[in-house]
Amino acid sequence: VKVSELGQFALIDRLAEMVEATRNEKMPSWQNLIVGIGDDCAAWRCDGALQLAHVDCQVEGVHFRPEYGSWRELGWKALAVITSDVAAKGGSPRYALISLTIPGSMEVENITDLYKGMIDLAKEEGIAIVGGHISRATLFTVTITITGAANGNILLRSAAKVGDKIAVTGTLGGATAYVEMIERKLKFNTACIIALKNTFLHPHPRVKEGQLLVAEGVEAGMDISDGVMSDMRHICRASKVGAMIRANTIPINPEVRACFDSKEALELALGGGEDYELLFTGNEEIINRVKAKSSIPVTIIGDIVAEHPGELIVVDANGKPVSLSRTGWDHFAPPAGSFLQEG
Amino acid sequence: VKVSELGQFALIDRLAEMVEATRNEKMPSWQNLIVGIGDDCAAWRCDGALQLAHVDCQVEGVHFRPEYGSWRELGWKALAVITSDVAAKGGSPRYALISLTIPGSMEVENITDLYKGMIDLAKEEGIAIVGGHISRATLFTVTITITGAANGNILLRSAAKVGDKIAVTGTLGGATAYVEMIERKLKFNTACIIALKNTFLHPHPRVKEGQLLVAEGVEAGMDISDGVMSDMRHICRASKVGAMIRANTIPINPEVRACFDSKEALELALGGGEDYELLFTGNEEIINRVKAKSSIPVTIIGDIVAEHPGELIVVDANGKPVSLSRTGWDHFAPPAGSFLQEG
């Protein structure tokens, strides 16, 4: 069986099972582990505190192309994307390790520009870059590991409960709309282009918001990297619950709304990835407190339900299922089929 | 300037300078940092304990080729190589994060075999694999981040002192000899082939030995990944001291001694990488205590000196400099020149 036939998530499940079989509570590593494979970050006890860690990789030609933006912008984005995983746990980002594979023919300036972008974000978020690795290769890739600190509670994918409201921070669809614009050579006005580009290349990890969620008592959440549908399904599977999302409540990015027809705008907002907003669940009272204190918009988009555990449905204003063709990012996925076929 | 013109270590120096300029003691990350870029692991305080972290990447066609060994062997080696960095600090390995880039056409079985190899080592060393990332790419790479725990003291590259003896664990040259054997299609007897292959593919990270070094009061050390000459130079530069290595004292791997002429055997032992033994310095009394307690051989190979800080010389039994053509691994290095030209 080829990796492309099995798919990214089935492969991860298989590897996670192999690892889980090695669990050994006699070892200090397993004893102190709180969250292992299958969440935004691993988490373990370190004396009184919690340590968080996560790794992510950006591959030239897969996650970015030269025409998407500058090396400095890529640097910002690469570190922002992974900082978002610490935000998704309600933690504070601390240390980053950078591993690069570089073709020898690459300009040194591109690499130093990449670092400038990472440093821009590192300064803003108080992250110290503390190590790394450089290897020659035929392909440029940047793999970043981030660690974070948390005191007490963290957000988990596995903590959603029936009766919870589902909510998101910010607006959705902008990042994928930018890629669509470039790949399909769509013509938009300059203001739209700048706004979409900024959404894609300059995401702000929702660190403060993640901490606010934990402080207000939210227990379940993650960041939106693969798209609301794909990421919500991760929460549903980890929490063994179902989700009902109301299409008419989705906070679609205003430029996406302006530049695409309403059907495609909804698809981009629900199925497009790389928004790096937070997706979380909690009772309505808690979410209303979060709304009141958050400096960015927080929108309720649906409910956690007991039906169809592990899956979600999207309904229109009349409660009728909406069929979407874009169902989220899988690295080895065949062309996206209808979501409803899966459910 | 191209990366291949600047070279791996000059590029790392340049990036490290950029990062160092961002040091900000108001941030908790920088406040708690003990070791940043430029050592085997980063280290920071986490409540009472120390946390260690390091990242390493293995690239197909650069670090390994299919003919070198099986996927399971590669898995063992990839995790062993990085566990060695925790050993090099005298720490206990704890958690690993695995990031893979995979061509879609690759067999799933190769990936699960790779994981089997990593799991073999993880079980032996008490490491929990707690997360990872999988991305599609045209090139197979495996990037591993490891964390470790340490109580109190750790070995540093920067702690060598004039008057210290230089010592190594185990024997040297076997791993690179295996690669030479394959690449130059050399014909050895079966016992030699098996022994060399084992040295290259099945290194045992010197975790217990690293902890013994710290317990006995050794302060300076690292693991031998790029070769004694290259790695000793890292210690010399970080500690601002010189080193004199006595060629006739080098514990050359017995199969290397048997299969290569004496000049090349010495070159492989001093200039060949991937032995993953420990290289350390300390006063003779401490090293003798380590020798007495270590279950693997410990050999004194030279002295830390005040002359030529940042550099090392290799001398023969009569104290005359030895010229070597193999000076250690640099990913983007032009063909190796004479070491003495550098010194």
Side-chain angles (χ1 to χ4, degrees):
Chain A
V1 183
K2 308 280 185 208
V3 171
S4 56
E5 293 159 353
L6 184 62
Q8 181 187 7
F9 296 111
L11 177 57
I12 290 172
D13 286 349
R14 192 173 295 187
L15 299 176
E17 254 173 52
M18 290 170 65
V19 168
E20 186 55 37
T22 71
R23 179 179 285 276
N24 177 355
E25 298 296 342
K26 285 181 197 148
M27 294 292 187
S29 53
W30 289 103
Q31 280 166 13
N32 289 307
L33 187 63
I34 295 175
V35 183
I37 294 178
D39 210 311
D40 289 290
C41 283
W44 60 88
R45 276 181 294 268
C46 170
D47 274 14
L50 288 188
Q51 286 280 302
L52 307 172
H54 186 66
V55 66
D56 198 16
C57 178
Q58 303 266 315
V59 177
E60 183 169 6
V62 176
H63 298 92
F64 63 93
R65 297 175 197 271
E67 59 266 38
Y68 286 1
S70 69
W71 285 96
R72 187 164 186 162
E73 288 167 320
L74 172 63
W76 169 284
K77 176 160 179 167
L79 188 54
V81 160
I82 189 155
T83 303
S84 174
D85 286 287
V86 174
K89 298 237 112 1
S92 302
R94 286 283 190 272
Y95 302 106
L97 299 160
I98 317 290
S99 178
L100 305 175
T101 67
I102 310 179
S105 60
M106 207 167 146
E107 294 292 330
V108 169
E109 200 183 356
N110 294 345
I111 306 292
T112 51
D113 280 349
L114 179 87
Y115 257 70
K116 280 180 192 165
M118 293 194 286
I119 284 171
D120 290 339
L121 184 83
K123 283 163 114 171
E124 198 165 301
E125 297 291 349
I127 298 165
I129 298 172
V130 291
H133 187 266
I134 288 176
S135 176
R136 174 168 59 86
T138 53
L139 182 70
F140 179 81
T141 68
V142 47
T143 304
I144 307 183
T145 302
I146 197 158
T147 75
N151 296 311
N153 298 326
I154 52 178
L155 301 174
L156 295 173
R157 294 185 182 185
S158 57
K161 286 188 279 289
V162 173
D164 278 359
K165 295 287 175 193
I166 301 165
V168 294
T169 59
T171 65
L172 303 173
T176 303
Y178 177 70
V179 175
E180 290 288 313
M181 184 193 82
I182 292 182
E183 297 294 332
R184 285 156 57 188
K185 299 187 172 47
L186 304 174
K187 302 283 176 216
F188 299 146
N189 70 50
T190 311
C192 266
I193 294 170
I194 292 173
L196 293 179
K197 182 175 181 179
N198 200 41
T199 313
F200 179 78
L201 284 172
H202 216 77
H204 281 268
R206 301 304 188 192
V207 174
K208 271 181 206 141
E209 293 72 20
Q211 292 169 354
L212 172 64
L213 293 180
V214 168
E216 294 300 331
V218 175
E219 294 176 3
M222 67 183 294
D223 68 329
I224 303 173
S225 54
D226 294 337
V228 170
M229 295 189 55
S230 177
D231 291 327
M232 190 67 230
R233 211 174 296 133
H234 290 313
I235 292 180
C236 288
R237 288 184 185 168
S239 299
K240 302 185 175 64
V241 294
M244 190 175 68
I245 292 186
R246 285 186 202 81
N248 62 321
T249 64
I250 302 298
I252 300 173
N253 176 295
E255 279 79 24
V256 174
R257 218 184 265 279
C259 296
F260 292 85
D261 69 41
S262 64
K263 165 110 173 113
E264 189 166 15
L266 179 67
E267 297 240 357
L268 288 167
L270 280 178
E274 307 216 51
D275 286 315
Y276 300 106
E277 297 293 345
L278 299 181
L279 171 66
F280 58 100
T281 82
N283 74 43
E284 200 162 1
E285 191 192 330
I286 289 178
I287 293 182
N288 284 333
R289 282 207 306 269
V290 169
K291 262 180 152 169
K293 294 188 184 178
S294 172
S295 57
I296 57 167
V298 168
T299 310
I300 292 177
I301 63 167
D303 293 273
I304 296 293
V305 297
E307 294 77 45
H308 51 83
E311 286 302 331
L312 75 162
I313 56 166
V314 181
V315 298
D316 66 16
N318 302 317
K320 283 178 67 178
V322 174
S323 171
L324 296 166
S325 57
R326 186 191 284 268
T327 60
W329 178 258
D330 179 327
H331 266 282
F332 302 99
S338 160
F339 157 69
L340 288 173
Q341 290 171 359
E342 273 193 52
Chain B
V1 183
K2 309 278 184 206
V3 171
S4 56
E5 292 158 353
L6 183 63
Q8 180 187 7
F9 296 111
L11 176 57
I12 290 173
D13 286 348
R14 191 173 295 189
L15 299 176
E17 255 174 52
M18 290 171 65
V19 168
E20 186 55 36
T22 70
R23 180 178 284 277
N24 177 355
E25 299 295 342
K26 285 181 198 150
M27 295 291 187
S29 53
W30 289 103
Q31 280 166 13
N32 289 307
L33 187 64
I34 295 175
V35 182
I37 295 178
D39 211 309
D40 289 291
C41 284
W44 60 87
R45 276 182 294 268
C46 171
D47 274 15
L50 287 188
Q51 286 280 303
L52 308 172
H54 186 67
V55 66
D56 196 16
C57 179
Q58 304 265 314
V59 177
E60 183 167 7
V62 176
H63 297 92
F64 63 92
R65 296 176 197 272
E67 58 266 38
Y68 286 0
S70 69
W71 284 95
R72 187 163 185 163
E73 288 167 322
L74 171 63
W76 170 284
K77 176 159 179 168
L79 187 54
V81 159
I82 189 156
T83 303
S84 175
D85 286 286
V86 174
K89 297 236 108 7
S92 302
R94 286 285 192 270
Y95 301 107
L97 299 160
I98 317 290
S99 178
L100 305 175
T101 68
I102 309 179
S105 60
M106 208 168 145
E107 294 291 331
V108 169
E109 200 182 355
N110 294 346
I111 305 293
T112 52
D113 280 349
L114 179 87
Y115 258 69
K116 280 180 193 164
M118 292 194 287
I119 284 171
D120 290 339
L121 184 83
K123 283 164 116 170
E124 199 165 301
E125 298 292 347
I127 297 165
I129 298 172
V130 291
H133 188 265
I134 288 176
S135 175
R136 175 167 58 86
T138 53
L139 183 69
F140 179 81
T141 68
V142 48
T143 305
I144 307 183
T145 302
I146 196 157
T147 75
N151 295 311
N153 298 325
I154 51 176
L155 301 174
L156 296 174
R157 294 186 183 186
S158 58
K161 285 188 279 290
V162 174
D164 278 0
K165 294 289 175 192
I166 301 165
V168 294
T169 59
T171 64
L172 304 173
T176 304
Y178 176 69
V179 176
E180 291 288 314
M181 184 191 84
I182 292 183
E183 297 294 332
R184 285 156 58 189
K185 300 187 170 52
L186 303 175
K187 302 283 177 218
F188 299 146
N189 69 51
T190 311
C192 267
I193 295 171
I194 292 172
L196 293 179
K197 181 174 181 178
N198 200 41
T199 313
F200 178 78
L201 283 173
H202 216 77
H204 280 268
R206 301 304 189 192
V207 173
K208 272 183 203 139
E209 292 72 21
Q211 292 169 353
L212 173 64
L213 293 179
V214 168
E216 294 300 331
V218 175
E219 293 175 3
M222 66 182 295
D223 68 329
I224 303 173
S225 53
D226 294 338
V228 169
M229 296 191 53
S230 177
D231 291 326
M232 189 67 230
R233 212 174 295 131
H234 289 312
I235 291 180
C236 289
R237 288 184 184 166
S239 298
K240 301 184 177 62
V241 295
M244 191 176 68
I245 291 186
R246 286 187 201 80
N248 62 322
T249 64
I250 301 299
I252 300 173
N253 176 296
E255 280 78 23
V256 174
R257 218 184 264 279
C259 295
F260 292 84
D261 69 42
S262 63
K263 166 108 174 111
E264 189 165 16
L266 179 66
E267 297 239 358
L268 288 167
L270 280 178
E274 307 216 51
D275 285 315
Y276 301 105
E277 297 294 345
L278 298 181
L279 171 67
F280 57 100
T281 83
N283 75 43
E284 201 163 358
E285 190 191 331
I286 289 178
I287 293 183
N288 284 333
R289 282 208 306 269
V290 169
K291 262 179 153 171
K293 293 187 184 177
S294 172
S295 57
I296 57 166
V298 168
T299 311
I300 292 177
I301 63 167
D303 293 274
I304 296 293
V305 297
E307 293 78 45
H308 51 84
E311 286 301 333
L312 76 161
I313 55 165
V314 180
V315 298
D316 65 16
N318 301 318
K320 284 178 65 178
V322 175
S323 170
L324 296 167
S325 57
R326 187 191 282 268
T327 60
W329 180 259
D330 180 328
H331 265 284
F332 302 99
S338 160
F339 156 68
L340 288 173
Q341 289 171 0
E342 273 192 55

